[in-house]
Amino acid sequence: VIAVITAFALMVSTLLLGSYSAFADGTPDIWDGSVSSGLTCERVGNEGKADNPYLINNASDLAYLAKNAIYANTKDKYYKLTADIYINDVSTDWYATGNTDGLNLREWTYGGPEAGISANGFCGTLDGDNHVIYGSYYEDKVTSSNYMAGLLFFGLNGKGQIKNLGIAKSRLDTTVAGDGCEGGAFAGYKHDWNGIDGNGVVFENCFVDDTVY
């Protein structure tokens, strides 16, 4: 059963970045499953501020951010993609057919609760700089209700912001039994954590296109 994309995730599909290419120039740099040990900025001093954001150069950097995307780590911090991100190879249409046999896809477990991420999710600002995340794949095997997962973050907190970013050619499946399972492209859900109004979450100039299932 394909997970139900929540209303807040679908909302961003109407905020189109415009045209985009299915592949970056040359051979895409496919994620090897590693997680960066940390993130860097363009210069020393004032790291993580609006004029000197932490840089997301590849999928390993994105994995580091998603793995550590909790309120205490990301509040008032700024992050920026420097390239399109390929979590898995999208040269075949597995994301549409659901046929993943023999492809050895890497699951983006940082969007699911098994990653051990605290419920007080991402509360910073992520600027995609008009880049796209391709090939995110998550298939949970949990058999309980009230289960949530996302193709990027597990959760969004308070005044977290995502802008100038697209997600394409990706798939979120769920085999959860019972009601209450929700999934979203950018995150499984948003909420009010640490006394910050969850309705403050902002999507600006983002999209989820019709190649996301």
Side-chain angles (χ1 to χ4, degrees):
V1 179
I2 298 176
V4 176
I5 304 297
T6 55
F8 91 93
L10 284 175
M11 173 182 67
V12 299
S13 67
T14 64
L15 305 175
L16 299 179
L17 287 173
S19 62
Y20 67 97
S21 60
F23 292 95
D25 293 338
T27 303
D29 182 13
I30 308 298
W31 184 41
D32 62 3
S34 65
V35 180
S36 296
S37 59
L39 301 177
T40 60
C41 300
E42 290 184 350
R43 64 181 186 277
V44 177
N46 213 33
E47 292 95 339
K49 300 301 183 182
D51 62 346
N52 192 28
Y54 292 110
L55 302 178
I56 308 296
N57 299 310
N58 49 51
S60 296
D61 288 346
L62 188 65
Y64 176 88
L65 174 58
K67 183 179 179 180
N68 293 281
I70 65 173
Y71 174 86
N73 292 343
T74 60
K75 181 179 182 293
D76 299 327
K77 300 289 179 61
Y78 289 78
Y79 307 83
K80 185 174 76 172
L81 267 68
T82 64
D84 289 346
I85 302 294
Y86 288 84
I87 295 174
N88 285 289
D89 184 4
V90 291
S91 59
T92 63
D93 63 351
W94 58 263
Y95 48 85
T97 65
N99 183 6
T100 61
D101 293 344
L103 296 180
N104 297 316
L105 297 179
R106 298 187 186 277
E107 287 196 63
W108 191 253
T109 57
Y110 306 111
E114 69 268 43
I117 301 170
S118 173
N120 55 358
F122 181 76
C123 193
T125 296
L126 175 60
D127 182 359
D129 199 27
N130 296 327
H131 291 296
V132 182
I133 296 171
Y134 296 100
S136 185
Y137 171 62
Y138 182 79
E139 181 181 8
D140 75 72
K141 301 172 180 64
V142 178
T143 56
S144 62
S145 59
N146 298 316
Y147 182 84
M148 302 173 187
L151 289 171
L152 176 54
F153 295 124
F154 177 53
L156 293 175
N157 187 357
K159 299 187 184 302
Q161 298 185 45
I162 300 177
K163 59 184 182 179
N164 307 319
L165 180 62
I167 297 180
K169 297 189 174 183
S170 298
R171 187 176 185 90
L172 175 63
D173 281 352
T174 177
T175 55
V176 171
D179 297 328
C181 177
E182 296 180 346
F186 291 97
Y189 65 111
K190 65 178 178 65
H191 201 56
D192 178 4
W193 296 301
N194 290 289
I196 297 179
D197 181 8
N199 292 325
V201 171
V202 173
F203 294 100
E204 177 183 336
N205 198 34
C206 295
F207 76 83
V208 180
D209 76 2
D210 61 1
T211 63
V212 176
Y213 291 82

